[in-house]
Structures are given as C-alpha cells and as structure tokens.
Amino acid sequence: MTKRKRFAAAACLLCAAAIPVLMTGCATARDSRAVARSSSQSASGTLDSWREGATRTAIESFVARTTDPASGDFVPEAERIAVFDNDGALWAEQPMYVQLAFIIDRVKALRAAHPEWETTEPFASLLKGDVKAVAAQGEHALGALVAATHGGMTDEEFRATVRAWLATTRHPTMGLRYDEMVYRPMVEMLAYLRAHGYRTFIVSGGGVDFVRAYASEAYGIPSDQVIGSTAKYRYEVRDGVPTVVKTGEIDFVDDGKGKPVGIASRIGMRPRIAFGNSDGDFEMLAWTTAGQGARLGVLIHHTDAAREWAYDRASHIGKLSRGLDEAPARGWVVVDMARDWKVVFRAEEPR
Amino acid sequence: MTKRKRFAAAACLLCAAAIPVLMTGCATARDSRAVARSSSQSASGTLDSWREGATRTAIESFVARTTDPASGDFVPEAERIAVFDNDGALWAEQPMYVQLAFIIDRVKALRAAHPEWETTEPFASLLKGDVKAVAAQGEHALGALVAATHGGMTDEEFRATVRAWLATTRHPTMGLRYDEMVYRPMVEMLAYLRAHGYRTFIVSGGGVDFVRAYASEAYGIPSDQVIGSTAKYRYEVRDGVPTVVKTGEIDFVDDGKGKPVGIASRIGMRPRIAFGNSDGDFEMLAWTTAGQGARLGVLIHHTDAAREWAYDRASHIGKLSRGLDEAPARGWVVVDMARDWKVVFRAEEPR
C-alpha cells in the first residue's frame, strides 16, 4: 500500500473524529423510538417515500427507458448493474461514521482485558474521550485501532460482534438504533431497481465486513455484492481446523479513485447507475456516466436540517463540493432530501 | 506482495511451460471439429452427461438434503454458495494452461510493433519457441510477459482481445477451440446447482479478466461471480475520459491458501460446495468442508487418457497428490472422469 493510500485510509476513518463537534445543522434528539421497525418495507418495488417531482421522474424515466426492449436506451439484464455508496447515501453518517463509533465502543468494551491500553497510545487518549488527540496521531493510530478491534478473528466472529453492537447501541442525539437510520427512500430505491432487473451493489469506503454484518437484513444485499475497504485475511489451520482470519492490516481503500478500481476488480463491469453523496464518490459517478449508452449518476444532497442534517461543501464528513459544481454539466441528478423525500429514516412511519 | 506469493504467481503460470513435453497420456488429435457447438446444453438442470453410480448419487443426495426444508441438513437459499476451480475442473488444462498459450500468441501477435523484443528477454526466447528458457528466468520473466500482454488497456479491451483469440485458436493436439474444451458434465453441474438455488462462483488461479472474457457464455456465470488472480487496476482521466486501466502488475494470487482468502474477501461467506481438481484447490476444499452443517467437497480426477488426459501425482500441471491421500478421511467425493462422465467436452455430442 502506498503512503498516499495509507493516508487516505487514515483520513477516511478519522477525519470525522477530528472535529466531533462539527454537526452542521444537527437535529435534536427525537422521541421516535417506538415507531414501527418492520423490515418488510417496499419489497414491491415502489417509490412510496419519494415525492412526485423532477428528481423522481428523472430516475423512473431512466429505468423505464433502459428496461424497455423497444427503447434505443435498452440495457440487457446482464448489464444492469447499480452501485451505491453506503455512508450518507444509504444510512446516516453524522456526527461520525458509524464504524468509528463502533471502534470507540469496542476499545471501551475490551478495556478490562487490556490494562496496558490505559498508558498506551492511541488507546489511552481514546479511553479518556479525547478523539481529537487520537486523530492527531495520524494513520498509525488508525491502524492500531483497526487491528485491535477488527483483527485476530474470523469474519463471522467479527460480524456477530457488529450485529450485537448494532442491536444495543443508539445514536447519541437521534436516539435511534443505527440500523434504524437507514434511509427508507433508498431501501425502496434498491428494491425498485431489483424489481426492474438491476443487481444492486454497495461500494463503500467503510470496512467490507462491517457493512456485510447488516447489509442483507437492512438492504436485501448479499455479502458478495458488498464491496468495501478491506483488511488482509490469512488462511491458517488452528488446532487442526482450517480458518480464515482477519489480520486487521489495511489492504485496499475503497474510496475516491479506489471506487472505480474496486468495481472493476470485484464486479468486472462498468455500472449503469451510481448513487453517491460525497466527493469520495466523484470518480465512481464520473466513470459510471462516462460509459457508452444510457447511464445515470445520482447525488444525495443533505439539505434537511429538520429531519436529518444539512451539510455539503464545508463538512468534514461527506464533503460535497466538486460534485455539486459539476453535476449539471455531467447530467447527474441531485436529490434534495428536504424536497424529494417524504420520510428519511427506516424507523419513521411513511407519511 | 511477499516474495513467497510472487514465487507462487510465477510458478502458477509458468511451471506448465517449463516442461511442455509433459503430457501424461496425451490424447491424439481428433476429428471432432464438426460436432455440435450449441451452448444451450442443460439449462434444465439435469446431469445427463453423468453416469449413474456412487459419485452422481453422492452429489444428488447432498443437493436433495440441503434443499429439503424437512431435512436436518437444510441450507437456507442465502447460504447456498458453490465454488469451482476453473483450469482442470471446468475446462482442460493440458499441455499448458490456456492463459499461457494466449500469452505466447499475444507476444507473437505484438512482435511487429516491438522490434526490441527480438533481442530482449524474456521475449527473445519466447519468440524463438524456447519456453524452457523463459521459465528458467523465473518470476521477473512472468511479470514482463503479463505486463506486456495484459497491461495498459481497460478490462473491456483486454477481454475483447481474449474473445477474438478464443474464436480463432485451436488446441494443438485436440483440434478443438479452447472454449469447446469446457467440460459438458460440469456445465450441467453448474446449471443443476443453480436450478436448486445455489449460486455458482469460479475461484481460479488464472487471471480474473481472462476467465471473465468467456465465463458468461461458457458457464452462465456473470463477471462478479468470477474470482481469480488479479493485476492492479488504476483509475485515470485519459483525454478527459474517466478510465480504469489494467496495469499488468500482479496484486493477488488466487491459488492454494489464496483461494479461501479470495472467497472470504470477495464472497464473504464460507461455501457449502467446492469443486477442484488439484492440490492448488486443497485449502479451498478443506476450509469449505470444515464449516458447520452440511458441506460437500469434490475432486475431479483426470483418469481418461483416451478422451482427455490421465494425470495426478506426477503432473507438473494440476498435480493432485495430497488431495487423493486425504479425500477419504475428509469425506470428499472423487470423480473418476473415465468412469463417471459419459462425455467430456462441450464439443461432443451427448451419448
């Protein structure tokens, strides 16, 4: 891994932690814990949580044209690939990436078994709650935290840990479980595209096994259709039992220019549709929409300070600046969350 | 990439070339060019090319048990993952891996544009037909050949080159096109498993884009379900056009211990069924069958000198020794090609 990539990895996960107070338009705690949590929403493939308007029409028109054999824009089913960023595009990412909240909680949970962490960086600062000091230690600190919380176990063991954490942890200001902060309109979008023969993939800057822990239940996406940043794995025979172990050593960073690379390597086909929300998705959308034939790029613009958060050009998490500048010329659709979505979270009742 | 892995990469592709005369029981040229070449075989999911007997019964019994909700061995559809080695398991691999034949032909095809190759190794030896001398130059030679024939283009351009080569090239002794030397019984097996809710993946030591060039047509397997050895990709903007380019620099070797690692990374789930034919598949079968619940490991044993080739413990290509030794204790099914298959190649008429 190059120095540049390692830096990107560190920046990717920790920049959010550097300024935890950065919550541009943070919504206040809400009393919506008791709302319906059915995961059966929209298996029918309708966009009920999307308001009528130019955004919804543009997406529906694209899908209609590419699935109509009589259209010049028709796309054979084998080529119907749709890719989605995760953090900020399928679920919330403020005030810090959910995976970072998991890392912090895991260090606290493992504290008793690691008395040496009380006096060893970056653990000592993290345990004191000084996330800024951790971020200031750079990529080495990230590597140590990832290795300590993600390494040395099988992917199945790791995912069970993530699921147990998701089941018992609530967002600090929203009061919702993180997996309730999946965007209902996007869950509908995934089902809608699948109902039209598109296969849906996640292409996340987050760790692949973290996303795989809940992607099937939350999004209906199987583990092999989740692409993400990866740590190295190691095959070994433990007490006679063949085992694949996560090492915690970062191997591939699936962000920025890494996203088209991850897609080419894992999917082996240029997508027809790409959804993102930040400049980390710019290259994924640019490569997708530069292909021949009908292509669709969509940016989710976080404009809803009342129901979620409003942030874009100045945000340290999910910064969206170049994408907003170039979307019109590139023909990308920009979703205005406040305008285009009737509801935001999976936890909310449809209106 | 570690030294060990680079060596494995070199050995993987070139050991076959080191002793090109090694053709244990090579079948003679055959006059079967005019046979039916329909690719529509066995979409129905029946094992017509498999003879009745213990092998077929063992496989059918496993599939019946794992797909019967009333059985204690039932496997939910989401966990029905079947993985297949490619060279020697889905198509022929003698007297050298098909990808190596492609590399040799590509160097010859590009010769006129590279006059410097006439006096530069390893190209000079290769162009003189001295494959032994190329192999003796080790991993550096392999890297140069892969970079020259696989690098600098997009995956789409590369695969078009592979397809054009497959359409016009015949096996030196069999007289068949290489993609006619796909095993008909295995194409049936893929369709049979898919008809029973299993998703089928290729896990090949060969280059992923080489296999992807023909996997959809030959096997009905989409590109994202092909895992293989990979060269690095690079995202770049060429004359204003976003492009992902193959660098030709080897990044991951999907062989031996690399196969469980590739599966964990790409599929993210331990398979229920694994088919292989060589000791390069040992760890894949060992890891697969060490999982909880019903698991099936199958080795294709090349026993048919009359219709294909007979080789195992002494072969430099597709060596199968440890697998044969340990198959009984591990409960792996060993397919005897001569005994269990009515026909071998896709090119043959069913009997």
Side-chain angles (χ1 to χ4, degrees):
Chain A
M1 178 178 254
T2 64
K3 182 125 183 133
R4 192 188 58 72
K5 277 194 182 167
R6 283 196 306 272
F7 178 78
C12 176
L13 272 177
L14 279 187
C15 69
I19 310 180
V21 294
L22 183 97
M23 294 163 66
T24 51
C26 176
T28 53
R30 46 203 309 157
D31 193 12
S32 48
R33 294 177 191 180
V35 297
R37 282 169 197 151
S38 163
S39 62
S40 63
Q41 69 276 13
S42 195
S44 58
T46 54
L47 301 178
D48 296 336
S49 300
W50 291 72
R51 289 204 186 92
E52 300 286 348
T55 301
R56 178 170 165 173
T57 298
I59 295 169
E60 288 180 332
S61 165
F62 179 88
V63 171
R65 285 182 283 118
T66 55
T67 55
D68 174 6
S71 166
D73 286 336
F74 179 70
V75 176
E77 198 154 332
E79 297 173 26
R80 290 185 204 156
I81 303 288
V83 292
F84 294 79
D85 174 52
N86 187 42
D87 293 311
L90 293 179
W91 76 348
E93 63 182 349
Q94 299 285 2
M96 66 172 72
Y97 295 124
V98 179
Q99 191 174 4
L100 183 60
F102 168 77
I103 288 172
I104 292 171
D105 282 357
R106 283 305 295 161
V107 169
K108 290 176 184 169
L110 296 169
R111 178 181 202 161
H114 292 275
E116 75 280 9
W117 285 356
E118 306 295 332
T119 54
T120 312
E121 290 300 334
F123 305 97
S125 291
L126 197 75
L127 289 168
K128 285 174 200 143
D130 191 350
V131 181
K132 274 191 198 179
V134 175
Q137 294 172 47
E139 66 183 64
H140 175 75
L142 172 73
L145 293 170
V146 169
T149 55
H150 291 53
M153 61 191 111
T154 69
D155 52 4
E156 289 137 0
E157 291 163 349
F158 175 76
R159 286 181 224 166
T161 306
V162 174
R163 279 191 286 266
W165 179 80
L166 284 172
T168 55
T169 309
R170 291 184 179 275
H171 187 278
T173 59
M174 292 291 194
L176 297 169
R177 279 173 32 181
Y178 288 107
D179 55 357
E180 292 173 328
M181 294 174 67
V182 164
Y183 301 135
R184 181 182 290 269
M186 294 306 293
V187 174
E188 289 175 1
M189 183 61 66
L190 292 166
Y192 167 76
L193 291 174
R194 289 195 290 261
H196 287 82
Y198 279 89
R199 288 191 304 142
T200 53
F201 291 76
I202 293 173
V203 181
S204 173
V208 69
D209 285 317
F210 188 83
V211 183
R212 283 172 175 168
Y214 69 95
S216 175
E217 198 219 346
Y219 307 130
I221 294 182
S223 58
D224 60 286
Q225 291 176 9
V226 178
I227 301 167
S229 296
T230 49
K232 289 183 179 170
Y233 300 81
R234 185 178 63 242
Y235 175 85
E236 62 185 38
V237 179
R238 285 186 168 179
D239 300 328
V241 180
T243 309
V244 176
V245 183
K246 289 171 66 73
T247 67
E249 182 190 349
I250 293 171
D251 183 39
F252 171 68
V253 178
D254 190 47
D255 196 38
K257 292 180 179 178
K259 292 203 174 196
V261 165
I263 294 168
S265 169
R266 268 67 167 178
I267 304 179
M269 197 180 296
R270 197 193 298 236
R272 290 289 175 161
I273 301 176
F275 278 77
N277 76 296
S278 80
D279 285 349
D281 304 314
F282 186 90
E283 287 83 0
M284 179 169 77
L285 266 70
W287 184 59
T288 296
T289 55
Q292 293 186 323
R295 310 275 170 168
L296 176 67
V298 183
L299 286 172
I300 310 295
H301 189 191
H302 291 261
T303 53
D304 197 330
R307 298 185 297 179
E308 203 227 15
W309 292 273
Y311 60 97
D312 46 39
R313 297 177 188 276
S315 180
H316 286 237
I317 306 163
K319 177 184 174 182
L320 179 63
S321 180
R322 187 180 177 193
L324 286 178
D325 291 340
E326 301 194 18
R330 292 178 183 267
W332 296 347
V333 174
V334 179
V335 174
D336 180 326
M337 280 177 69
R339 181 194 64 197
D340 293 326
W341 287 2
K342 294 181 190 170
V343 296
V344 174
F345 296 125
R346 164 180 155 176
E348 295 174 78
E349 290 285 5
R351 289 169 195 176
Chain B
M1 177 179 254
T2 65
K3 181 125 184 132
R4 192 188 59 73
K5 276 194 183 168
R6 284 198 304 272
F7 179 78
C12 177
L13 271 178
L14 279 187
C15 69
I19 311 179
V21 294
L22 184 96
M23 294 163 68
T24 52
C26 174
T28 53
R30 48 202 307 157
D31 192 12
S32 48
R33 294 178 191 178
V35 297
R37 280 167 199 153
S38 163
S39 63
S40 63
Q41 69 277 12
S42 194
S44 58
T46 54
L47 300 178
D48 296 336
S49 301
W50 291 71
R51 290 207 184 91
E52 300 286 349
T55 302
R56 178 169 165 174
T57 299
I59 295 168
E60 288 179 332
S61 166
F62 179 89
V63 172
R65 283 182 283 122
T66 55
T67 56
D68 174 6
S71 166
D73 286 337
F74 179 71
V75 176
E77 198 155 334
E79 297 174 24
R80 290 186 205 156
I81 302 288
V83 293
F84 294 79
D85 173 53
N86 186 42
D87 294 310
L90 293 179
W91 75 348
E93 63 183 350
Q94 299 285 2
M96 66 172 73
Y97 296 124
V98 179
Q99 192 175 3
L100 183 61
F102 169 78
I103 288 172
I104 292 171
D105 282 358
R106 284 305 295 162
V107 169
K108 291 176 183 169
L110 297 168
R111 179 180 201 160
H114 292 275
E116 75 279 10
W117 286 356
E118 305 295 333
T119 54
T120 310
E121 290 300 333
F123 305 97
S125 291
L126 197 75
L127 290 169
K128 285 175 199 144
D130 192 351
V131 180
K132 276 190 198 180
V134 175
Q137 293 172 46
E139 66 183 63
H140 175 75
L142 172 73
L145 293 171
V146 169
T149 55
H150 291 53
M153 62 191 110
T154 69
D155 52 3
E156 289 138 359
E157 291 163 349
F158 175 76
R159 285 182 225 166
T161 306
V162 174
R163 278 192 287 266
W165 179 81
L166 284 172
T168 55
T169 309
R170 291 185 178 275
H171 187 279
T173 59
M174 293 291 195
L176 297 168
R177 278 173 33 181
Y178 288 107
D179 55 357
E180 292 174 328
M181 294 173 68
V182 163
Y183 301 136
R184 181 182 290 269
M186 294 305 294
V187 174
E188 289 175 2
M189 183 62 64
L190 292 165
Y192 167 75
L193 291 174
R194 289 194 291 261
H196 287 82
Y198 279 89
R199 288 193 303 142
T200 53
F201 291 77
I202 293 172
V203 181
S204 173
V208 69
D209 284 318
F210 188 83
V211 183
R212 283 172 175 167
Y214 69 96
S216 175
E217 199 219 346
Y219 307 129
I221 294 182
S223 58
D224 60 287
Q225 290 176 10
V226 177
I227 300 167
S229 296
T230 49
K232 290 184 177 169
Y233 299 81
R234 185 179 62 242
Y235 175 86
E236 61 185 39
V237 179
R238 286 186 167 179
D239 300 328
V241 180
T243 307
V244 176
V245 182
K246 288 170 68 71
T247 67
E249 182 190 349
I250 293 172
D251 182 40
F252 171 67
V253 178
D254 189 48
D255 196 38
K257 293 180 180 178
K259 291 202 174 195
V261 165
I263 293 167
S265 169
R266 268 66 168 181
I267 303 179
M269 196 180 297
R270 196 193 301 235
R272 290 290 176 161
I273 301 176
F275 277 76
N277 75 297
S278 80
D279 284 349
D281 304 315
F282 186 90
E283 287 83 0
M284 178 169 77
L285 265 71
W287 183 60
T288 296
T289 56
Q292 293 186 323
R295 310 275 169 168
L296 176 67
V298 183
L299 285 172
I300 310 294
H301 189 192
H302 292 262
T303 54
D304 198 331
R307 298 185 298 180
E308 203 227 12
W309 291 274
Y311 60 97
D312 46 40
R313 296 177 189 276
S315 180
H316 286 236
I317 306 161
K319 177 183 173 181
L320 178 63
S321 179
R322 187 180 178 194
L324 285 178
D325 291 340
E326 301 194 18
R330 292 179 183 267
W332 297 347
V333 174
V334 178
V335 174
D336 179 328
M337 279 178 69
R339 181 193 64 198
D340 293 328
W341 287 1
K342 294 181 191 170
V343 296
V344 175
F345 297 126
R346 163 180 156 177
E348 297 175 77
E349 291 284 5
R351 290 171 194 176

